[in-house]
């Protein structure tokens, strides 16, 4: 009987792997397959490529791809031109206030991009603070912030910190002896940067460039708020899906499939380039920051503080305007808490939802992430490798595409989840799970398996060993990843804007809708609240990670 019971006893990890595969199959793979089906099939005509023919046959639609590539490629190049030198300067040289700069750079990257767009409208819009100052005081007309220029400005200042954080992490892995060897051969300063440093960090540059490209290409809120007539791919998908004259789901699905194909192609290209140049570095002696000559010191400090001030200025101004008296689009003389009172009285449910929906999502993410991390590292086989790969695919799919896929699939029987909290939670879990998985995998790879083997040899089951021994040892990495997932969830817009209803509206959606309606005071108050929550979350992250670099 004992042998029979042992044979019948289910394996915890096999059962967990099976359940996760089923969940991903139902809530991710099937919606994407369904989206593909909608793009090539209609009840009236059956299989058809008419939607794709419509897209590629009209210059109007093709122009959106050109627009998206134009602004995304330029934004990526500019973020590299800013982020790489900034990381190099702050790593190699002694810069005053380096810790302060690091914190501000991280804060600049964590707010939703569309909040930056809204902020720059307040500063450089047609009635903006800076615009009025130059016009009324100096008689100078400022360049138009709307359209291509505005989108490029916002994306560059919002995303260069991601490059900075990636490159800084890579530079911390460079051994100082390489710099000393270069100096002994007369290679110093900028020459050392191009001859020694740049080749060493090239894989990281590729990785950071991909991240920026994906974020910029998929950004929805910035072009909607500041783009005016400049149409990009995510905006086209949204417009076609929710058109006032009746959205064309099939055509929107076709555009979504094209978006998935494009982002996947760029992802695979980046992986190929990185793998070609991949090598490992272990810094026995970390890079030691050195003092600079006076001329170089002035340049480095001016560059670092100037860029950081420019990036963080919009958030400071939004916080300031949240306390001003307002009347629709106008900010009046004097200060008041009316914007906050209206935000809580009229949109209090959206503030609650911002904690409730991501909060529930975070609990689910924690459970699934530690299981996927464990089976990916400790139970590696073809099946678990597939689970690990599938879990990362949502990372490269634009949010509007994921929102359309979920809405068109889960609105039908047997799900019927349209307008529910459940569909919002599912979307957040699928899209933000990769952050916690990667952080959990990284920490687990540093834990020796002998600890678990010792527990099992003493009679503990696999499940008990995992929950009693492994999970507590993984806790720092898991929680750090979870906080990053949390930060990205509370600032999520592109998926939420497709799925939300008045009952499930979050702060990001409320900010977006209030800006469109011209209620700038309420939008500023909500933005300030969201920024405050982000700051607190980052402080918790820094406390738990003990100075660990943030990677997205």
């Amino acid at each position: 009987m004992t042998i029979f019971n042992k044979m019948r006893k289910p394996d915890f990890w096999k059962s967990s792997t099976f359940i996760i595969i089923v969940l991903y199959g139902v809530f991710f793979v099937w919606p994407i397959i369904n989206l593909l089906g909608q793009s090539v099939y209609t009840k009236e005509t059956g299989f058809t490529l008419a939607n794709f023919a419509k897209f590629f046959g009209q210059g109007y639609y093709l122009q959106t791809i050109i627009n998206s590539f134009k602004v995304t490629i330029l934004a990526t190049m500019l973020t590299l031109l800013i982020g790489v030198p900034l990381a190099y300067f702050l790593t190699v040289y002694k810069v005053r206030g380096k810790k302060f700069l690091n914190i501000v750079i991280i804060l600049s990257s964590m707010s939703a991009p569309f909040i930056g767009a809204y902020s720059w409208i307040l500063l450089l819009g047609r009635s903006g603070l800076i615009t009025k100052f130059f016009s009324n005081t100096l008689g100078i007309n400022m360049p138009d912030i709307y359209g291509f220029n505005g989108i490029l400005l916002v994306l560059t200042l919002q995303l260069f910190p991601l490059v900075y954080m990636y490159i800084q992490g890579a530079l911390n892995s460079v051994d100082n002896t390489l710099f000393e060897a270069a100096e002994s051969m007369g290679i110093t300063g900028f020459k050392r940067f191009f001859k020694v440093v740049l080749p060493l960090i090239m894989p990281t540059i590729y990785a950071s460039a991909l991240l920026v490209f994906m974020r910029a290409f998929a950004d929805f809120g910035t072009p909607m708020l500041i783009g005016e007539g400049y149409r990009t791919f995510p905006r086209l998908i949204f417009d076609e899906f929710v058109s006032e004259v009746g959205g064309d789901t099939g055509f929107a699905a076709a555009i979504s499939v094209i978006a998935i194909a494009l982002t996947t192609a760029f992802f695979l290209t980046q992986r190929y380039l990185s793998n070609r140049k991949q090598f490992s570095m272990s810094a026995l002696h970390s890079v030691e920051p050195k003092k600079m000559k006076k001329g170089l010191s002035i340049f480095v400090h001016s560059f670092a503080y100037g860029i950081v001030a420019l990036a963080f200025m919009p958030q400071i101004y939004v916080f300031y305007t949240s306390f001003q008296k307002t009347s629709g689009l106008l900010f009046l003389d004097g200060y008041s808490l009316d914007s906050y009172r209206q935000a809580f009285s009229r949109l209090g449910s959206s503030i609650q939802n911002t904690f409730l929906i991501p909060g529930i999502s975070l609990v689910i993410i924690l459970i699934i992430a530690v299981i996927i991390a464990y089976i990916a590292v400790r139970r590696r086989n073809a099946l678990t490798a597939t689970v690990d790969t599938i879990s990362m695919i949502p990372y490269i799919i634009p949010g509007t595409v994921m929102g359309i896929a979920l809405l068109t699939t889960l609105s039908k029987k047997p799900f019927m989840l349209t307008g529910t909290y459940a569909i919002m939670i599912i979307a957040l879990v699928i899209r933000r799970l990769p952050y916690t998985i990667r952080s959990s995998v990284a920490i687990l790879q540093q834990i020796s398996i002998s600890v678990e083997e010792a527990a099992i040899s003493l009679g503990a089951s696999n499940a008990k060993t995992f929950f009693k021994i492994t999970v507590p040892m993984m806790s720092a990495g898991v929680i750090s990843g979870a906080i990053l997932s949390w930060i990205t969830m509370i600032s999520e817009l592109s998926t939420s804007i497709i799925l939300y209803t008045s009952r499930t509206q979050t702060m990001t959606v409320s900010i977006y809708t209030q800006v469109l309606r011209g209620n700038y005071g309420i939008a500023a108050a909500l933005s300030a609240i969201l920024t405050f929550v982000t700051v607190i979350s980052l402080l918790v992250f820094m406390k738990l990670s003990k100075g660990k670099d943030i990677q997205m």
Side-chain angles (χ1 to χ4, degrees), residues 131 134-142:
T131 303
F134 275 88
S135 177
N136 299 335
T137 307
L138 304 176
I140 299 174
N141 293 323
M142 296 294 293

Side-chain angles (χ1 to χ4, degrees), residues 392-433:
M392 294 305 298
I393 294 176
Y395 184 76
I396 64 172
I397 296 179
T400 47
V401 173
M402 198 69 242
I404 292 172
L406 289 171
L407 185 62
T408 55
T409 303
L410 302 183
S411 61
K412 303 172 184 177
K413 292 181 179 181
F415 304 106
M416 304 297 289
L417 297 180
T418 305
T420 65
Y421 287 98
I423 195 170
M424 298 282 286
I425 291 168
I426 290 168
L428 289 180
V429 170
I430 290 172
R431 292 205 68 215
R432 304 309 179 186
L433 185 59

Side-chain angles (χ1 to χ4, degrees), residues 59 91 115 169 203 214 242 258 299 309 362 390 406 497 524 526 532 552:
T91 303
I115 293 180
M214 293 295 185
V242 298
I258 294 169
F299 170 76
L362 190 62
I390 291 175
L406 289 171
I497 200 70
L526 290 171
F532 177 76
M552 304 296 289

Side-chain angles (χ1 to χ4, degrees), residues 531-551:
T531 300
F532 177 76
V533 174
T534 303
V535 170
I536 296 300
S537 301
L538 281 170
L539 292 175
V540 173
F541 173 88
M542 292 174 183
K543 180 71 175 178
L544 293 173
S545 64
K546 298 178 181 179
K548 177 185 174 184
D549 293 328
I550 293 179
Q551 290 189 8

Side-chain angles (χ1 to χ4, degrees), residues 345-407:
S345 62
R346 293 167 54 180
L347 299 167
S349 61
S350 68
I351 298 173
Q352 295 173 7
N353 287 338
T354 302
F355 290 94
L356 177 64
I357 296 173
I360 296 173
S361 303
L362 190 62
V363 173
I364 298 172
I365 283 173
L366 284 169
I367 295 170
I368 296 177
V370 292
I371 293 175
I372 291 178
Y374 190 87
I375 63 177
V377 176
R378 297 285 195 254
R379 303 272 172 158
R380 192 75 178 178
N381 55 48
L383 192 61
T384 58
T386 301
V387 173
D388 188 30
T389 302
I390 291 175
S391 69
M392 294 305 298
I393 294 176
Y395 184 76
I396 64 172
I397 296 179
T400 47
V401 173
M402 198 69 242
I404 292 172
L406 289 171
L407 185 62

Side-chain angles (χ1 to χ4, degrees), residues 142-249:
M142 296 294 293
D144 195 350
I145 190 64
Y146 300 95
F148 172 80
N149 293 333
I151 298 173
L152 184 62
L153 173 69
V154 172
L155 290 179
T156 300
L157 294 178
Q158 178 74 29
L159 298 177
F160 87 83
L162 303 181
V163 175
Y164 168 83
M165 289 184 283
Y166 259 73
I167 301 302
Q168 189 183 56
L171 289 172
N172 287 332
S173 299
V174 177
D175 197 296
N176 194 57
T177 55
L178 294 174
F179 286 80
E180 294 173 350
E183 286 185 18
S184 68
M185 299 174 67
I187 302 174
T188 58
F190 288 103
K191 189 176 180 180
R192 179 179 63 184
F193 174 77
F194 287 104
K195 292 287 186 180
V196 179
V197 177
L198 210 56
L200 286 174
I201 62 173
M202 192 57 68
T204 307
I205 290 176
Y206 286 141
S208 61
L210 173 72
L211 177 60
V212 170
F213 184 93
M214 293 295 185
R215 291 278 289 267
F217 187 81
D219 187 82
F220 163 79
T222 301
M224 285 294 286
L225 287 181
I226 207 171
E228 287 198 342
Y230 196 85
R231 297 172 65 83
T232 58
F233 221 44
R235 180 175 177 180
L236 175 64
I237 295 171
F238 177 81
D239 289 345
E240 290 298 329
F241 186 71
V242 298
S243 172
E244 293 181 4
V245 295
D248 188 343
T249 303

Side-chain angles (χ1 to χ4, degrees), residues 210 214 263-273 275 396:
L210 173 72
M214 293 295 185
T263 53
T264 302
F266 275 95
F267 175 73
L268 293 176
T269 301
Q270 183 273 333
R271 289 289 295 270
Y272 171 74
L273 292 173
N275 290 336
I396 64 172

